[in-house]
Amino acid sequence: MTDLSPESGSVQPLRVNGERLISRLDELGAIGAIEGTIGCARLALTDDDKAGRDLVRTWMDELGLDITVDGIGNVIATMPGFDHGIAPVMTGSHIDTVATGGRYDGNLGVLAGLEVIETVMTARLDLPRPLAVGWFTDEEGARFAPDMLGSLVYVGGLALEEALTITDRDGLSVGGELERIGYLGSAPIPGAVPHAFVELHIEQGPILEDEGIQLGAVEAVQGISWTELTIIGQSCHAGTTPMRLRRDPGVVAARINVFVRELAERFGGAQVATCGVVSHVPNLVNVVPSKVTMTVDLRNTDDATLEAAEAEFHAFVADAAAAEGVTVTARSLARFASVEFDDRVAEMIEAAAAERGHSIRRMCSGAGHDAQMFARICPTAMIFTPSVNGISHNVTEYTEPADIEAGANVLLDVMLRLAASDLS
Ligand code: HGY
Ligand code: MN
Ligand code: MN
């Protein structure tokens, strides 16, 4: 079997077609484009998400890849011509975005994976096992919680039947929306176990840029805790109601927001806290709100510390609600412990980067990713490229073309090495 590693000399290191990759990122980014920005909005299972899915699927079809769509709408495209019993080396990510998203978050991992496969097929490399690229439904969790929904179901972490009943704010279900956009597939769930999984993703934070390092070998993902609070008080007139008679859910929501900020600052280290959603009913200038729905996103690299943060948060909520005379219902939207990736894959990423002359460092991901679900079933790790100004989940999200190409070339090398490796 051909030694595919670049240092063998038998095969000049292949290079991806960076221009093709960047033009596809731009073409996909134009779907759901946010006027006057380079950002895009393709919330999961919306018409824009369908349009993005259809475009990427066209590119997969044009390559002649074997395409499967499973019961949660995950799409996997595999190099043809291999015995179906041979587990592929898989890459992939997501093409759904948040409502104020960038064109690289998730999209880079899917399109770079497609680019790697096209490069390998064009070079007619003879591989011991196929390469595959997938996109996974609703990674963002912004419309349907939890995040990483499609990959969680793929690896058997959540029953498909339960996932299909999850609804958005308007009461529309995952199953109904998958059917409506034509992506309620029949490929089996849980999905086939890959030989290995490696995901290329933008860092979405400031570390690589701050340190002037070109790539990240991601060895872990921090723990994630999403809670939705429904706070019910007494709606009344803003002008006539004395303060002593109020039961104002808006004040409790504000106190919770300040509390979790102060908790994160007090805990320090990796602790982060965000109240991304705070919506008042009836949300009018002269009405004390009757209800506030809010979300609290807590994360930490250390699971015990995250649990301590959650315990303090819930205790504060109970006290604040009692003091104001409101009721609070808490609902967990997502809860994932921190994840360690496979050191062998992280080492391959570091070696491939070094051989291509790129600086690289080990990192823990602050964001959740589909790869953290695949780490449950096969050797997995991630490659990060820098985010300009450390910004993401923002229409100004940007990554330099040279970094995109470097990340894709390292993805290429790592997938080829994984294909030639016995990881048992
Ligand atoms: O929230 C996250 O970490 C990811 O963007 N879904
Ligand atoms: Mn992402
Ligand atoms: Mn994201």
Side-chain angles (χ1 to χ4, degrees), residues 41-369:
R42 292 199 305 276
L43 283 171
L45 309 186
T46 57
D47 291 343
D48 282 326
D49 184 25
K50 171 183 171 48
R53 286 168 168 256
D54 291 349
L55 175 62
V56 178
R57 185 169 178 165
T58 303
W59 289 329
M60 291 172 161
D61 271 331
E62 284 167 356
L63 264 185
L65 301 182
D66 293 338
I67 299 175
T68 59
V69 183
D70 70 17
I72 194 75
N74 298 319
V75 174
I76 311 286
T78 306
M79 286 171 71
F82 288 83
D83 178 318
H84 284 286
I86 303 178
V89 172
M90 191 182 287
T91 187
S93 193
H94 59 96
I95 55 176
D96 66 299
T97 75
V98 293
T100 52
R103 61 179 54 187
Y104 304 99
D105 177 359
N107 302 305
L108 172 61
V110 175
L111 297 183
L114 188 63
E115 176 56 38
V116 163
I117 291 175
E118 182 154 2
T119 300
V120 167
M121 289 173 73
T122 308
R124 298 184 180 285
L125 284 198
D126 129 26
L127 299 185
R129 61 178 68 250
L131 307 184
V133 58
W135 79 69
F136 302 95
T137 295
D138 187 42
E139 187 278 345
E140 291 296 0
R143 183 181 177 198
F144 301 102
D147 53 348
M148 288 78 73
L149 179 63
S151 47
L152 177 66
V153 171
Y154 183 98
V155 302
L158 179 67
L160 174 60
E161 298 67 31
E162 184 181 345
L164 294 176
T165 62
I166 293 170
T167 55
D168 67 3
R169 290 175 191 165
D170 301 322
L172 297 173
S173 72
V174 168
E177 288 294 89
L178 277 170
E179 190 147 32
R180 185 181 66 81
I181 67 168
Y183 277 89
L184 186 62
S186 55
I189 291 273
V193 177
H195 177 65
F197 188 92
V198 53
E199 179 175 358
L200 173 64
H201 203 287
I202 54 173
E203 177 201 338
Q204 301 183 286
I207 297 169
L208 290 175
E209 183 179 66
D210 283 356
E211 297 181 5
I213 294 178
Q214 194 166 19
L215 296 173
V218 185
E219 58 188 357
V221 180
Q222 67 178 344
I224 301 176
S225 162
W226 286 2
T227 304
E228 177 191 73
L229 298 176
T230 304
I231 311 170
I232 307 286
Q234 169 73 54
S235 187
C236 53
H237 195 295
T240 59
T241 311
M243 298 314 285
R244 60 185 171 77
L245 294 182
R246 294 185 184 206
R247 292 189 290 115
D248 183 347
V251 166
V252 173
R255 287 178 178 144
I256 290 168
N257 199 333
V258 170
F259 175 79
V260 295
R261 160 61 77 92
E262 288 171 350
L263 176 150
E265 288 167 348
R266 181 162 41 88
F267 274 42
Q271 186 62 50
V272 288
T274 313
C275 296
V277 172
V278 183
S279 54
H280 292 64
V281 172
N283 207 32
L284 298 172
V285 62
N286 57 356
V287 180
V288 175
S290 58
K291 178 171 86 167
V292 172
T293 304
M294 71 184 291
T295 59
V296 177
D297 176 327
L298 299 172
R299 307 194 197 197
N300 200 300
T301 52
D302 177 78
D303 289 328
T305 309
L306 183 54
E307 283 165 24
E310 286 175 309
E312 283 205 31
F313 154 57
H314 286 295
F316 178 83
V317 168
D319 291 348
E324 183 70 17
V326 299
T327 60
V328 180
T329 310
R331 178 166 74 101
S332 174
L333 296 179
R335 185 62 175 89
F336 299 121
S338 65
V339 170
E340 297 279 318
F341 286 138
D342 188 304
D343 208 46
R344 296 169 297 177
V345 183
E347 279 173 4
M348 281 186 194
I349 293 168
E350 287 174 308
E355 280 156 37
R356 287 199 184 254
H358 302 310
S359 54
I360 190 163
R361 56 158 283 174
R362 289 287 183 109
M363 304 180 75
C364 171
S365 177
H369 298 288

